[in-house]
Amino acid sequence: MSTPWWVGGTVYHAYVRSFRDSDGDGYGDLGGLIERFDHFVDLGITALWLSPITNSPDHDWGYDVSDYLDVHPELGTLADLDELVEVGSRHGIHVVMDLIPNHTSASHPWFVEAKSSRNSSTRDYYVWADAAANGSPPNNWVDDTGEPAWTWDADSKQYYMHNFLDLQPDLNWWNPLVHTEFDRIIDFWLDRGVAGFRIDVANGLYHDRELRDNPLNPRAHIWDTEVQGRYGIEHVYNFNRPEVHDVYRHWRTRTESRSTPALLMGETWVARVDELAAYYGDDDQLHLALNFPFLFAPFEPPALARIVSESVAAFPAGAVMVWAGSNHDVPRVATRWAQNDPRRVRLAQTLLATLPGAYVLYYGDELGMVDSDVPDHLHRDPLTAGRLNGQWPRDNARAPMRWDASPSGGFSSGEPWLPVHPVVEQNVADQLADPTSMLALLRTLIAVRRHHLSDLTAIYRDVHVDASRWVYDSGPLRVNANFSNETVFIEPCDAPLLSSLDVRPDVLDRLRPWEAVVSLRTSPRP
Ligand code: GLC
């Protein structure tokens, strides 16, 4: 296989409902992506990953699928998707979809049928179990809200299992028919020209066949980078089961047998790098496994550098790393890592974009978008209420994007589904006109990575790491980063390619506070 397009590539993660509304109903849509396609061309991205666009009652905004083979009417039509793929291919931009194999919506016909009787044809598509002797759930598993992962079905007198909402029943991957269904779903979209998938909850799918209790562990907490779990319960038996790897081996073989191999990028939300490595297998499973240990690391050189180095060491030869700082489930980089300080935001994106492999850019991060602060009564995410002990409301990272400085932000002619992003300067029109804007920096970074990192030989090497400095080589690039409020003097080098701050120096001999400078490794001064 020739070098895949995602190596050195930039995958733009579009939260479709918040990108641009083309028909005035307040929801961003496929038409909005087509209308503003110039934004992607201007940025120089390689691929567009769409948050779920398939049919859904939206209890989890599309992550509860009721029809895998059609487009949600609020978001457009199959014809719009075809047009988006077509426009993309004219500009060399691939379209990647979200695939949700861990669970369906409770309104999916499979589940409606499954619930109708214990003998129904799709009963075994889901995970059912009898009550314990005292009528309680069969084990101690909890779902994402901290409630029991089991809901009683009074009609058929059994519990069904769900890792997320009770309206999102988990599929039973021990059933071969579920595999066949997903082979068909994958083919349906690839036949339409989609270039691959981001696989939701890729470390889920299988559950322990004996439904054993999970171990209790007070460290099992979503931010923990060693122990996977939540609410003090380790996810040993309902996530990350060994059987899941066969699914990816199978999908990899099938997708690589096509004339254009498709990307398989997993939402591999595991705590440790060694667990993450397992999803690459012998470079025969996922092409990209999203690195949550990195995302959850503190914004400090030793912690970040350690995870990059551990990843390099743990991943199989040929594996491509992938770097993302924000997504629709966590606070944005600008707020979580950079504490809303513009210098740190620019530093953070410079680091993410210059590590070798693939780079995922969450919509709005190209404008330096910080988290918004959605008032309680305007929240739209049902998983937020009581979720994760109320740690963060996900809607704050899902604000409709600003295209201009007008009150509507140019997002929609109607009432936006969530309040438009509150920071007026973080808009596309103003930043396009400003050569020192975050948007201008992102365009430069994406061009630099495309030019210098689109090659499997681009590897990472630590050069120097201490509490306030991170210096590394990434392919031919040398990245010098200052994580402090002091100016630091460094060995001079000519012709830096870029600075994360607004002005590029001619000669690099110092780093300003919170500055990163990217130069070519071959240019140290004699
Ligand atoms: C993934 C999605 C998240 C969703 C969950 C359940 O983690 O990213 O948004 O709530 O799966 O589908």
Side-chain angles (χ1 to χ4, degrees):
M1 184 171 152
S2 56
T3 306
W5 53 258
W6 49 87
V7 178
T10 301
V11 178
Y12 189 96
H13 172 187
Y15 196 74
V16 178
R17 285 179 185 273
S18 294
F19 184 76
R20 158 81 189 152
D21 172 20
S22 68
D23 60 7
D25 68 356
Y27 291 108
D29 47 33
L30 294 175
L33 294 167
I34 296 168
E35 236 176 57
R36 296 298 157 95
F37 209 84
D38 281 356
H39 183 65
F40 305 131
V41 176
D42 176 68
L43 267 171
I45 62 164
T46 326
L48 189 56
W49 147 28
L50 310 178
S51 61
I53 58 162
T54 42
N55 256 326
S56 165
D58 291 327
H59 294 292
D60 189 14
W61 296 109
Y63 286 103
D64 47 330
V65 180
S66 54
D67 182 354
Y68 286 93
L69 305 181
D70 204 358
V71 172
H72 192 306
E74 274 168 7
L75 304 180
T77 61
L78 277 172
D80 293 333
L81 195 261
D82 293 344
E83 187 182 341
L84 182 67
V85 168
E86 215 278 302
V87 175
S89 76
R90 258 189 274 138
H91 294 282
I93 294 176
H94 306 269
V95 175
V96 171
M97 292 204 15
D98 223 296
L99 182 73
I100 297 124
N102 182 71
H103 48 269
T104 69
S105 158
S107 356
H108 194 290
W110 298 337
F111 191 68
V112 174
E113 168 66 25
K115 233 167 119 7
S116 68
S117 119
R118 284 199 187 198
N119 301 321
S120 94
S121 59
T122 56
R123 181 78 175 178
D124 202 30
Y125 276 35
Y126 295 89
V127 186
W128 297 93
D130 293 333
N134 62 1
S136 60
N139 63 26
N140 72 347
W141 299 354
V142 293
D143 70 14
D144 210 38
T145 70
E147 295 298 319
W150 298 93
T151 292
W152 180 246
D153 176 39
D155 294 336
S156 63
K157 301 205 169 23
Q158 274 193 313
Y159 281 97
Y160 68 87
M161 191 249 150
H162 46 90
N163 272 324
F164 295 91
L165 295 173
D166 55 353
L167 294 169
Q168 294 170 292
D170 269 44
L171 285 162
N172 172 21
W173 280 83
W174 291 102
N175 180 351
L177 293 175
V178 170
H179 295 238
T180 315
E181 297 281 8
F182 274 84
D183 284 349
R184 274 195 349 185
I185 293 165
I186 288 172
D187 286 348
F188 176 85
W189 294 108
L190 295 183
D191 289 346
R192 294 196 99 87
V194 162
F197 302 95
R198 174 268 191 185
I199 301 154
D200 190 58
V201 197
N203 57 319
L205 277 59
Y206 275 88
H207 318 100
D208 179 44
R209 218 168 194 166
E210 296 165 39
L211 305 180
R212 281 170 280 189
D213 272 344
N214 275 328
L216 306 183
N217 181 342
R219 280 198 50 205
H221 181 264
I222 198 155
W223 297 95
D224 198 288
T225 53
E226 296 295 326
V227 178
Q228 190 188 0
R230 292 176 195 178
Y231 305 106
I233 299 185
E234 275 189 60
H235 283 166
V236 171
Y237 291 118
N238 55 333
F239 277 98
N240 215 17
R241 302 301 301 157
E243 296 83 8
V244 74
H245 299 285
D246 279 339
V247 175
Y248 301 129
R249 276 187 211 101
H250 170 70
W251 288 2
R252 176 82 171 251
T253 312
R254 280 190 96 241
T255 50
E256 284 190 351
S257 67
R258 300 181 67 98
S259 54
T260 323
L263 168 66
L264 299 174
M265 171 169 76
E267 186 206 15
T268 35
W269 195 317
V270 294
R272 293 195 323 266
V273 164
D274 58 322
E275 294 173 314
L276 189 60
Y279 287 88
Y280 287 96
D282 291 325
D283 192 23
D284 60 352
Q285 298 183 37
L286 299 177
H287 297 107
L288 301 176
L290 285 159
N291 198 322
F292 284 86
F294 185 77
L295 185 147
F296 284 127
F299 192 54
E300 294 159 7
L304 297 170
R306 179 175 68 84
I307 290 173
V308 178
S309 297
E310 280 180 11
S311 302
V312 172
F315 294 177
V320 180
M321 300 189 285
V322 56
W323 309 106
S326 300
N327 67 41
H328 61 292
D329 292 328
V330 299
R332 286 177 180 270
V333 161
T335 298
R336 205 186 65 250
W337 270 353
Q339 297 160 30
N340 298 2
D341 169 358
R343 298 169 306 173
R344 293 183 217 197
V345 182
R346 298 172 73 105
L347 170 63
Q349 289 300 346
T350 303
L351 301 171
L352 286 159
T354 54
L355 288 167
Y359 165 51
V360 177
L361 175 64
Y362 186 45
Y363 88 98
D365 274 8
E366 72 274 35
L367 307 173
M369 255 165 85
V370 298
D371 276 359
S372 57
D373 190 7
V374 180
D376 284 351
H377 69 285
L378 295 178
H379 275 296
R380 302 297 303 273
D381 175 18
L383 266 166
T384 291
R387 179 190 153 88
L388 309 172
N389 302 324
Q391 282 178 78
W392 69 79
R394 298 190 298 182
D395 286 334
N396 288 352
R398 298 176 177 181
M401 177 151 133
R402 278 192 169 272
W403 293 90
D404 56 42
S406 68
S408 73
F411 166 71
S412 168
S413 57
E415 186 63 30
W417 77 293
L418 277 174
V420 163
H421 196 259
V423 182
V424 176
E425 310 79 64
Q426 294 178 344
N427 78 71
V428 176
D430 287 356
Q431 294 204 15
L432 270 178
D434 174 2
T436 67
S437 66
M438 183 74 185
L439 185 55
L441 171 66
L442 256 297
R443 198 188 297 122
T444 308
L445 281 169
I446 291 170
V448 163
R449 55 181 287 104
R450 187 186 277 261
H451 190 74
H452 295 287
L453 301 177
S454 294
D455 186 334
L456 279 169
T457 61
I459 52 163
Y460 170 89
R461 198 173 64 86
D462 269 344
V463 177
H464 177 90
V465 181
D466 66 34
S468 58
R469 284 281 303 288
W470 187 10
V471 186
Y472 58 85
D473 289 343
S474 174
L477 304 177
R478 162 75 46 98
V479 180
N480 240 296
N482 179 9
F483 284 63
S484 82
N485 288 317
E486 314 296 325
T487 295
V488 290
F489 291 87
I490 61 171
E491 194 187 326
C493 98
D494 287 326
L497 293 170
L498 70 94
S499 155
S500 62
L501 297 180
D502 44 6
V503 184
R504 185 177 71 165
D506 294 329
V507 175
L508 168 62
D509 64 355
R510 70 195 67 189
L511 297 170
R512 290 167 280 175
W514 301 102
E515 179 178 35
V517 177
V518 181
S519 52
L520 280 176
R521 240 185 326 135
T522 47
S523 61
R525 278 192 157 182

